[in-house]
Amino acid sequence: ENYHISWQDSRNRSETTLNNMPGADKETDLSERIEAFLADLKRGGSGTGPLRGSGEMARETTALLRRITAQARWSSAGDLMEIIRNEGRRMTAAQPSETTVGNMVRRVLKIIREEYARSRGSSEETDQQESLHKLLTSGGLSEENFRQHFASLKANVIEAINELLTELEGTTDNIAMQALEHIHSNEVIMTIGRSRTVEAFLKDAARKRKFHVIVAECAPFCQGHEMATSLSKAGIETTVIADAAIFAVMSRVNKVIIGTQTVLANGGLRAVNGTHTLALAAKHHSTPLIVCAPMFKLSPQFPNEEEIFHKFVSPHEVLPFTEGEILSKVNVHCPVFDYVPPELITLFISNIGGNAPSYIYRLMSELYHPEDHEL
Amino acid sequence: HGCKARPLILASCQISNMSSRGTKQKKGNVTNEQEEEDQPLQAVLIADSFNRRFFPISKDQPRALLPLANVAMIDYTLEFLTSTGVQETFVFCCWMSNKIKDHLLNSKWCRPTSPNVVHIITSDLYRSLGDVLRDVDAKTLVRNDFILVYGDVVSNIDVSQALQEHRHRRKVDKNISVMTMVFKESSPGHKSRCEEDDVIVAMDSKSKRVLHYQKTQGLKKLQFPMNIFQHGSDEFEIRHDLLDCHISICSPQVAELFTDNFDYQTRNDFVRGILVNEEILGNQIHLYVTNEGYGARVSNLQMYDSVSSDLVRRWVYPLTPEANFTDQRGQGCAHSRHNVYRGAGVSLGHGSQMEENVLIGRDTSIGANCHISNSIIGNYCTIGDNVVLDRAYIWNNVHISNKVKIHQSVVCDGVLVKEAVLLNKQCVLAYNVVIGPNMSLPEGTVVSMHHPEEEEDDDDDEFLSDDQVVGNSKDKTKQKAFNPAEVGSEGKGYIWKASLDEAEDEELAQCIWGLVLNPDPDSDSESEASDGSQDMGSRSVSPEMDDVKVFQLEVLGTLQRGEEENIGCDNLVLEINSLKYAYNITLKEVMQILTKVVLEYPFQQQGTKLSSSQYTVLLLPLLKKWSPVFKNYIKRAQDHLDCLSAVEELFLEQETHQTAMVKVLMNMYQLEILEEDAILKWFSAGATTDKSRQLRKNQGLQKFIQWLKEAEDESSEEGE
């Protein structure tokens, strides 16, 4: 019954006992967790986009990376980065549309670089601003620099990852706190589908102000219905409209506030289907378009990388499988995301404040090391 | 049917560890209910089709390993099981079990990190689903509800909801529900509906209990026995919009029932058996109908075609070609517009078009000016210039020369198609065939390296050893020359003709493409269909008189043997049950005949000239001895009345012995075969003819009834 017991154990094991386990056991447990996470990612998507919110996905990824740091065998920062890069590659390959995972891998790699630099005594600032000369001379040798062993590195990296986790947990609140600066009394706000960040943002504003929200239902998944129910429960005056009515209603709207799945390197969005229509309608009526996007959604990816950009799910929602003969005569597609070009966006609100789309490249370079853009 | 006693080969070593646990918890009662739910979910996967539908392709490769969108079919089934939360899967293989075993051992399912522990169990003796489940029972592999699937089921249905309903039913009804079948809604005419599996189901709308289950088999008229609508709730559904996903959630009893009824071969037998015997065994089958998700079984090439195209059109999301869920290196591919998937290292010549719904495996090169649509091409293929492929399924390492045209055909591994060959619809080129050049194959041609005649020769020993068969066939192919008129001047292979021996088989026509190839023209259906449906109907509703008589004689014989050889009542019941199937007798008739046979038994043995007192002396010990047999059949109130009317009928015939009737009834009452309520009801209600009224005026009977009434009054007074 050995295998059986180990199965149960791996479920019930608490984090504290993990450190006392013998090495081999630790490693199988770790790889089991990684495989489970990968399998989850692969199945992650019941058609309505990710099963969990991307915030949760970011936290889960980071927690797993922290576990890898703590339990994997490595002696220098270089080893650790290699391990994390490998696992990160597998994770992003498992579900390319889930960009948050890759972003968190890049954040952790950046943390390791910084901690290594700090342990060596050089300040972060000098390391970051590499001169053109330095770039040319050091080139491919940069990995060589991470071979030095520091006893305290592991603890430092884990602590830094913990800080990152704390930051992640506060993102939605940080964004919601800025709501009163953007939403004024008796305004008409339009949104589309359901974004947890926007939901929190509107609810926060509703504590002090009275305004009207119009929710585009976002067919075929109609997450907009859930959004509207949730908002009206919070006492916000809410109207649901069909996606086709977006343009017609836009003339009455003061502001459009939306969430997004990813913020791309050029300041564009990869957001739920229908957002492009909404953005164009807003542009036509010169209505400001505000995007609530926590920093972890920033991805160093450009929109022309066609292969990983799109996600097509089962066409069931568009034309149900229960239909008979017609299905063999037509092609049915059900894409999940839209690309929204940066020129249609007025403002990004992230957990560290508001930014224009043109500033995204700068935030990106602060968040990720240029060598980590390609995992 | 020949059951050879031979030890089964166990490929997994962990099984013996669990058997002790299995027996302990086989009879789950309320107290360890919680424990049961915590146990890992198990599944039984049958990696054999037990038919020859895919011959000659499956002569070289078992069906479970045939590529479907470049991934072996069994991988889809395992992925479905794993994603639905199964933690332990038993894979049963028979035909070419070594290949399946090798495949699984090298797959991600056998890695130590796999959340689903896969045990491979092989035996050459499995001939049907029934054999496998009997083996499951013999080894006590399952401890709890399990999922039963074939190795060629493709699905992404989340069955946890169905599983929950199933468990709930079992908790409420004390293990009455033995199976929950998963069906998917889809209207008739849907291309993924398998014509052979087309079913009509009558069910109770509230409890989802299956009342009647019948394959339509192309019939236009169907008959339902009226009695199915007479009990239960007042809402029924008769549905023809269901697609059988071939996924069933089974209670552990299912394996036991297969052991008890050795004539069950397929799930169809089982379902019919359970429904017909519902009153006896008290078991029920339920239905879970979903309209989300995808589930289908690749049971013939027609289904292969439609399931492949559904996969490419992403109906089975997240099991899409680019997801690489088998986690194999280099298997990944990129998805782009119009459902075009390209593997790594694919090269496309100048002017070639991949129109839509195209999947191309890794390192495949395609020449110039090709036109490809709705096709799947495997790994390492070479395709020449000016080739047209439409609905072509091309497996691995295939070489297709210039100017070839292929429409809706399957081309297996290692095939070489020479220049300017035209494959019309529904052609199959099995492994390593060479065709051409400059010829056209007519619609429905099947070409194989196996000579069709060799099949009969190795018919007997093909189940014994794979190696032997392969060796045999190689020898034979060498002996026979290829016919250039069939496969072209440079061709290699023989035209395959399906043998007609198995046409009588329940599997209908043994055509590889399934029924659709020769659909019944609408005109001829009226007369034939009604004939057929009557045939079907009479089998379950009213058996012919001859059968009843033969059955009566058989029951008599059984009881005589039981008396002489002192056979236990359990075995008698088993034997009567199997007789019941053999002659298709309804339950009511079984009871009447049994009563009649037992009551006539003394006459049968000693002649009809017995006096009443002699008769009772002989009969009473028999009644006592066989009372468990009676009790087995007499359960509900209606059964009691039926039994009583049989007694009445007998004594109306044997007028001289009417005095004995009281004693018989008294005895049956005391043995608790009959209840007093039933006797009273029968007495007050049943008199319809003069004779039976006369019978009821018998003094002894009157007194007996009087006594029963008083006894009832007393007991009710005591109760108060």
Side-chain angles (χ1 to χ4, degrees):
Chain A
E1 283 186 22
N2 269 338
Y3 80 97
H4 191 74
I5 289 165
S6 69
W7 167 79
Q8 274 185 333
D9 276 7
S10 67
R11 297 274 152 131
N12 302 334
R13 221 172 267 151
S14 67
E15 301 220 354
T16 47
T17 55
L18 271 170
N19 301 330
N20 309 331
M21 275 192 311
D25 225 18
K26 233 187 202 172
E27 255 169 43
T28 55
D29 175 71
L30 180 65
S31 55
E32 242 170 59
R33 267 165 198 274
I34 295 172
E35 293 302 326
F37 184 72
L38 286 174
D40 249 19
L41 275 176
K42 277 193 183 172
R43 296 183 198 121
S46 57
T48 54
L51 277 177
R52 292 157 292 193
S54 36
E56 208 174 314
M57 189 56 92
R59 283 197 293 278
E60 236 173 88
T61 316
T62 317
L64 186 67
L65 292 173
R66 180 178 61 181
R67 189 176 284 275
I68 292 174
T69 313
Q71 289 175 10
R73 286 168 193 275
W74 54 277
S75 55
S76 68
D79 292 350
L80 179 61
M81 282 165 71
E82 201 47 49
I83 293 169
I84 288 191
R85 202 170 285 145
N86 269 329
E87 296 301 341
R89 233 176 266 145
R90 291 177 63 203
M91 287 176 199
T92 43
Q95 186 62 269
S97 73
E98 201 61 65
T99 43
T100 345
V101 176
N103 297 344
M104 288 345 280
V105 173
R106 291 183 188 102
R107 287 287 286 272
V108 170
L109 286 173
K110 167 101 170 166
I111 284 173
I112 300 169
R113 283 173 199 277
E114 282 171 1
E115 291 304 325
Y116 180 81
R118 212 211 310 262
S119 305
R120 253 188 7 173
S122 61
S123 82
E124 292 156 55
E125 263 66 38
T126 54
D127 210 40
Q128 195 160 53
Q129 295 168 350
E130 282 169 338
S131 69
L132 191 59
H133 171 74
K134 214 171 161 192
L135 270 175
L136 284 172
T137 50
S138 64
L141 297 173
S142 60
E143 289 293 306
E144 291 288 310
N145 300 339
F146 292 99
R147 290 283 156 233
Q148 227 169 314
H149 177 78
F150 296 105
S152 62
L153 184 66
K154 191 169 178 173
N156 288 343
V157 170
I158 290 177
E159 199 181 321
I161 297 179
N162 282 337
E163 274 167 28
L164 175 61
L165 271 170
T166 336
E167 181 200 318
L168 289 176
E169 265 156 37
T171 46
T172 311
D173 290 341
N174 287 338
I175 293 174
M177 266 159 49
Q178 305 168 47
L180 289 176
E181 296 167 27
H182 299 279
I183 298 176
H184 308 292
S185 285
N186 298 320
E187 272 187 338
V188 178
I189 312 282
M190 188 189 269
T191 186
I192 186 167
R194 183 179 188 208
S195 152
R196 284 166 185 77
T197 324
V198 174
E199 202 180 314
F201 192 79
L202 295 174
K203 280 183 184 171
D204 195 86
R207 287 188 298 114
K208 291 209 176 138
R209 309 245 158 92
K210 219 173 154 45
F211 53 94
H212 186 150
V213 178
I214 297 173
V215 186
E217 63 174 359
C218 204
F221 306 114
C222 297
Q223 306 101 311
H225 298 176
E226 285 171 47
M227 178 78 158
T229 327
S230 164
L231 290 179
S232 59
K233 267 184 197 154
I236 302 171
E237 199 183 333
T238 314
T239 311
V240 181
I241 58 164
D243 297 337
I246 287 176
F247 189 83
V249 177
M250 189 55 81
S251 55
R252 292 172 43 197
V253 174
N254 298 104
K255 250 176 214 123
V256 176
I257 301 177
I258 57 169
T260 181
Q261 215 266 344
T262 308
V263 179
L264 299 161
N266 66 345
L269 300 183
R270 193 174 74 138
V272 72
N273 231 355
T275 313
H276 196 180
T277 322
L278 179 73
L280 283 171
K283 188 81 179 171
H284 183 87
H285 288 281
S286 299
T287 314
L289 181 95
I290 298 173
V291 181
C292 292
M295 291 299 278
F296 64 77
K297 289 194 174 176
L298 257 63
S299 173
Q301 190 183 346
F302 282 90
N304 49 3
E305 294 167 37
E306 191 193 4
E307 284 164 11
I308 52 168
F309 189 75
H310 264 301
K311 177 170 169 183
F312 286 85
V313 297
S314 165
H316 175 82
E317 299 285 343
V318 181
L319 191 64
F321 190 78
T322 43
E323 297 289 332
E325 276 174 292
I326 185 82
L327 286 179
S328 44
K329 294 176 185 144
V330 294
N331 270 317
V332 194
H333 296 284
C334 185
V336 178
F337 298 120
D338 251 358
Y339 167 61
V340 182
E343 56 270 22
L344 300 181
I345 298 158
T346 317
L347 188 72
F348 281 101
I349 301 177
S350 76
N351 44 321
I352 55 168
N355 294 297
S358 54
Y359 193 68
I360 291 295
Y361 85 97
R362 180 68 206 160
L363 292 174
M364 206 76 75
S365 69
E366 271 169 29
L367 280 180
Y368 311 117
H369 194 276
E371 276 178 28
D372 297 332
H373 284 188
E374 289 269 314
L375 281 177
Chain B
H1 81 138
C3 288
K4 289 174 214 160
R6 207 189 296 183
L8 300 177
I9 305 150
L10 261 188
S12 165
C13 48
Q14 278 139 327
I15 283 153
S16 55
N17 295 339
M18 306 175 317
S19 52
S20 58
R21 168 189 285 265
T23 46
K24 208 170 26 185
Q25 281 165 356
K26 207 166 167 183
K27 305 246 150 46
N29 53 33
V30 191
T31 49
N32 60 14
E33 204 78 21
Q34 194 57 46
E35 206 177 319
E36 266 187 31
E37 265 164 40
D38 292 341
Q39 280 184 354
L41 180 59
Q42 295 174 308
V44 170
L45 190 159
I46 296 165
D48 202 316
S49 53
F50 303 116
N51 66 34
R52 300 179 165 198
R53 193 41 82 66
F54 273 67
F55 266 23
I57 301 173
S58 56
K59 249 179 173 313
D60 295 307
Q61 188 86 326
R63 192 198 289 188
L65 296 189
L66 301 182
L68 189 70
N70 294 345
V71 175
M73 288 189 203
I74 197 170
D75 288 328
Y76 288 98
T77 317
L78 282 167
E79 172 67 20
F80 155 67
L81 290 175
T82 311
S83 64
T84 202
V86 172
Q87 283 153 354
E88 190 176 17
T89 306
F90 298 99
V91 180
F92 288 84
C93 332
C94 176
W95 174 241
M96 299 207 165
S97 48
N98 287 339
K99 285 197 173 182
I100 300 178
K101 212 168 117 186
D102 287 348
H103 174 84
L104 289 179
L105 290 176
N106 290 323
S107 71
K108 81 166 187 179
W109 313 109
C110 285
R111 289 184 203 156
T113 49
S114 167
N116 183 1
V117 182
V118 174
H119 306 288
I120 306 160
I121 299 167
T122 63
S123 164
D124 295 333
L125 294 175
Y126 300 138
R127 297 286 164 93
S128 68
L129 173 80
D131 289 344
V132 169
L133 285 174
R134 278 184 274 278
D135 200 37
V136 167
D137 186 42
K139 295 194 178 99
T140 56
L141 297 177
V142 294
R143 309 180 286 279
N144 205 342
D145 296 333
F146 63 97
I147 298 177
L148 176 68
V149 286
Y150 278 101
D152 45 17
V153 168
V154 176
S155 174
N156 63 355
I157 295 173
D158 184 5
V159 298
S160 51
Q161 172 72 20
L163 196 69
Q164 225 169 11
E165 282 177 21
H166 179 79
R167 282 181 178 151
H168 177 72
R169 268 195 290 270
R170 291 226 302 139
K171 211 184 276 179
V172 171
D173 287 346
K174 292 277 179 322
N175 299 343
I176 281 181
S177 173
V178 288
M179 188 189 264
T180 303
M181 298 191 284
V182 178
F183 279 70
K184 174 153 179 50
E185 260 177 37
S186 66
S187 338
H190 197 289
K191 70 185 158 61
S192 300
R193 274 171 78 110
C194 181
E195 304 275 323
E196 291 149 38
D197 284 335
D198 207 32
V199 288
I200 289 258
V201 179
M203 67 172 192
D204 189 323
S205 336
K206 279 179 194 154
S207 65
K208 305 281 178 235
R209 181 158 71 89
V210 180
L211 302 169
H212 187 73
Y213 175 91
Q214 190 179 338
K215 293 204 174 185
T216 58
Q217 300 178 331
L219 299 175
K220 289 266 154 54
K221 278 187 187 168
L222 295 154
Q223 291 194 348
F224 297 89
M226 274 310 288
N227 62 327
I228 59 169
F229 303 114
Q230 279 159 3
H231 45 77
S233 75
D234 45 3
E235 270 181 52
F236 303 98
E237 284 172 32
I238 295 179
R239 303 189 67 160
H240 186 228
D241 65 336
L242 298 178
L243 186 157
D244 188 353
C245 303
H246 288 276
I247 300 162
S248 4
I249 299 165
C250 306
S251 313
Q253 286 113 297
V254 170
E256 292 164 28
L257 284 168
F258 267 96
T259 310
D260 292 346
N261 298 278
F262 51 81
D263 55 335
Y264 289 173
Q265 296 297 316
T266 61
R267 193 184 72 165
N268 212 23
D269 291 344
F270 176 80
V271 173
R272 284 186 61 160
I274 292 286
L275 292 180
V276 171
N277 300 332
E278 199 190 306
E279 291 105 357
I280 314 179
L281 301 163
N283 292 325
Q284 297 178 344
I285 291 180
H286 289 83
L287 213 58
Y288 176 78
V289 179
T290 173
N291 57 8
E292 282 180 0
Y294 183 90
R297 184 180 170 208
V298 183
S299 45
N300 55 39
L301 279 186
Q302 194 71 43
M303 284 302 284
Y304 181 87
D305 181 22
S306 46
V307 173
S308 299
S309 86
D310 285 342
L311 273 165
V312 168
R313 288 163 201 237
R314 309 181 74 80
W315 282 102
V316 205
Y317 183 87
L319 294 184
T320 49
E322 90 277 10
N324 188 20
F325 61 87
T326 53
D327 230 2
Q328 263 159 1
R329 215 169 276 270
Q331 261 298 341
C333 54
H335 172 227
S336 43
R337 262 162 226 234
H338 306 298
N339 291 336
V340 172
Y341 305 82
R342 277 163 298 142
V346 167
S347 71
L348 193 64
H350 182 78
S352 281
Q353 273 187 338
M354 295 188 288
E355 200 165 82
E356 55 183 11
N357 305 319
V358 177
L359 166 61
I360 298 174
R362 64 187 297 202
D363 294 327
T364 285
S365 69
I366 293 171
N369 299 317
C370 292
H371 194 275
I372 303 171
S373 56
N374 304 308
S375 296
I376 294 175
I377 301 171
N379 303 328
Y380 314 112
C381 294
T382 320
I383 290 173
D385 301 338
N386 301 309
V387 173
V388 177
L389 303 177
D390 181 45
R391 291 176 79 185
Y393 297 97
I394 291 166
W395 295 359
N396 303 324
N397 295 310
V398 174
H399 189 96
I400 292 179
S401 310
N402 302 341
K403 294 180 198 156
V404 171
K405 287 192 172 79
I406 299 180
H407 301 287
Q408 200 193 351
S409 295
V410 174
V411 179
C412 303
D413 287 2
V415 170
L416 173 56
V417 183
K418 301 218 168 189
E419 268 184 37
V421 170
L422 168 66
L423 294 191
N424 282 306
K425 279 185 178 179
Q426 300 183 331
C427 285
V428 176
L429 302 183
Y431 290 90
N432 303 319
V433 163
V434 181
I435 291 284
N438 300 318
M439 65 174 302
S440 155
L441 286 185
E443 193 173 318
T445 314
V446 180
V447 185
S448 160
M449 290 308 279
H450 297 282
H451 197 277
E453 279 160 31
E454 94 195 29
E455 192 198 1
E456 275 125 58
D457 303 339
D458 58 34
D459 216 11
D460 300 323
D461 55 2
E462 68 183 325
F463 281 98
L464 300 183
S465 154
D466 293 348
D467 306 334
Q468 206 179 328
V469 178
V470 174
N472 274 349
S473 53
K474 267 181 192 155
D475 291 345
K476 272 169 204 143
T477 44
K478 273 175 205 156
Q479 289 160 14
K480 288 164 189 158
F482 306 113
N483 183 353
E486 286 174 355
V487 294
S489 51
E490 294 162 32
K492 286 176 189 168
Y494 308 98
I495 300 282
W496 176 271
K497 291 178 195 75
S499 61
L500 296 169
D501 313 346
E502 294 166 67
E504 297 161 22
D505 206 330
E506 259 186 71
E507 288 291 329
L508 306 166
Q510 288 290 312
C511 168
I512 193 165
W513 281 96
L515 271 180
V516 183
L517 244 190
N518 39 4
D520 301 324
D522 285 359
S523 53
D524 73 314
S525 53
E526 256 338 282
S527 60
E528 260 180 54
S530 57
D531 281 0
S533 60
Q534 254 168 18
D535 213 40
M536 297 287 289
S538 61
R539 283 178 79 185
S540 55
V541 184
S542 58
E544 290 159 33
M545 274 317 288
D546 289 338
D547 278 354
V548 175
K549 275 198 180 130
V550 179
F551 177 72
Q552 185 174 340
L553 287 176
E554 291 276 358
V555 171
L556 179 64
T558 307
L559 291 179
Q560 273 170 344
R561 236 173 326 118
E563 171 76 3
E564 284 158 19
E565 296 166 22
N566 220 355
I567 298 170
C569 285
D570 289 350
N571 291 338
L572 288 179
V573 171
L574 197 65
E575 223 164 299
I576 292 171
N577 273 350
S578 53
L579 286 172
K580 174 177 174 304
Y581 296 124
Y583 298 103
N584 248 322
I585 305 291
T586 65
L587 185 64
K588 186 175 169 183
E589 279 165 327
V590 170
M591 202 150 51
Q592 285 173 339
I593 288 165
L594 181 70
T595 318
K596 197 175 169 197
V597 168
V598 171
L599 294 185
E600 279 180 348
Y601 197 79
F603 301 126
Q604 207 72 40
Q605 301 292 312
Q606 311 287 338
T608 45
K609 291 189 177 156
L610 293 167
S611 72
S612 296
S613 52
Q614 278 173 314
Y615 171 74
T616 30
V617 169
L618 284 171
L619 183 67
L620 295 187
L622 293 177
L623 273 180
K624 188 167 183 189
K625 186 169 178 185
W626 290 327
S627 66
V629 182
F630 278 102
K631 281 182 195 165
N632 185 62
Y633 292 103
I634 302 174
K635 281 177 173 162
R636 302 167 308 154
Q638 187 59 40
D639 303 339
H640 290 273
L641 292 179
D642 288 342
C643 176
L644 280 162
S645 70
V647 174
E648 178 180 340
E649 201 175 304
L650 183 104
F651 282 102
L652 283 175
E653 275 174 32
Q654 306 279 345
E655 281 178 57
T656 46
H657 295 292
Q658 284 190 356
T659 41
M661 183 177 174
V662 179
K663 289 191 173 151
V664 172
L665 285 182
M666 183 71 180
N667 212 271
M668 288 176 97
Y669 171 69
Q670 279 166 346
L671 289 169
E672 292 175 353
I673 297 171
L674 294 174
E675 283 171 2
E676 60 183 54
D677 286 352
I679 299 175
L680 291 175
K681 196 175 172 194
W682 162 77
F683 186 80
S684 59
T688 47
T689 62
D690 288 345
K691 272 190 170 181
S692 60
R693 244 171 257 140
Q694 196 70 34
L695 183 82
R696 267 155 238 243
K697 284 180 184 153
N698 181 311
Q699 276 204 331
L701 188 60
Q702 297 266 13
K703 274 187 186 167
F704 173 59
I705 297 297
Q706 192 78 28
W707 176 77
L708 275 182
K709 277 183 182 162
E710 279 165 16
E712 191 189 31
D713 288 346
E714 269 173 39
S715 64
S716 60
E717 273 166 31
E718 275 169 29
E720 284 164 20

